[in-house]
Amino acid sequence: MRKGLMLVFVLSILLTFGIHAYAQFQTKDICVRATMIIEKNGSLAEIEKEAKKLQFTKSGNGITQALFTKFLTLPGLCIVTLKDGKPIEARYSKTT
C-alpha cells in the first residue's frame, strides 16, 4: 500500500512539472511568433489570432501593452509592448 501511494505521489509530481514545462515552452513560442509578426510590420490582431490558435488569453491595458498567458496558475507570460496601438516588441517574462 505504501509503495502504491509513493508511486502515485511521484507520478503526480512528474505530471505537474511536465505540464508546467509544456506551458512555458508554448509561452516562449508565442513570443517568437509575435516577434516574427512584428518584424513583418504586423498588427496586434494578427498576434491575437496566433495566440488564440494556441489557446492563450489576452489581458493588459491594450494601450501600452498586451499580455498573453496560457494558464493563470502557471508562471510565464508574453508581454507585447505597444506604441500608438502597434506592437513594437514581444518578450517572455517568467513571473516567479
Side-chain angles (χ1 to χ4, degrees):
M1 183 71 174
R2 283 189 119 179
K3 286 184 180 183
L5 276 168
M6 184 58 87
L7 180 64
V8 169
F9 178 70
V10 170
L11 288 176
S12 65
I13 288 174
L14 291 174
L15 181 64
T16 301
F17 283 121
I19 291 170
H20 173 73
Y22 181 69
Q24 209 170 29
F25 167 78
Q26 279 196 320
T27 306
K28 290 177 182 179
D29 183 47
I30 195 63
C31 276
V32 169
R33 291 179 189 205
T35 300
M36 291 169 44
I37 291 170
I38 291 168
E39 288 173 353
K40 295 177 184 176
N41 292 320
S43 66
L44 182 59
E46 290 177 69
I47 296 172
E48 287 179 32
K49 185 178 175 182
E50 283 295 315
K52 283 185 182 180
K53 287 180 188 176
L54 296 174
Q55 300 174 340
F56 277 79
T57 56
K58 178 188 158 210
S59 59
N61 61 19
I63 298 168
T64 59
Q65 66 182 3
L67 310 173
F68 294 93
T69 56
K70 185 73 170 181
F71 303 111
L72 294 176
T73 57
L74 293 176
L77 59 119
C78 180
I79 302 171
V80 177
T81 306
L82 306 172
K83 183 176 182 180
D84 299 326
K86 283 200 57 85
I88 58 171
E89 177 191 34
R91 62 186 160 83
Y92 173 79
S93 176
K94 188 172 180 178
T95 56
T96 59

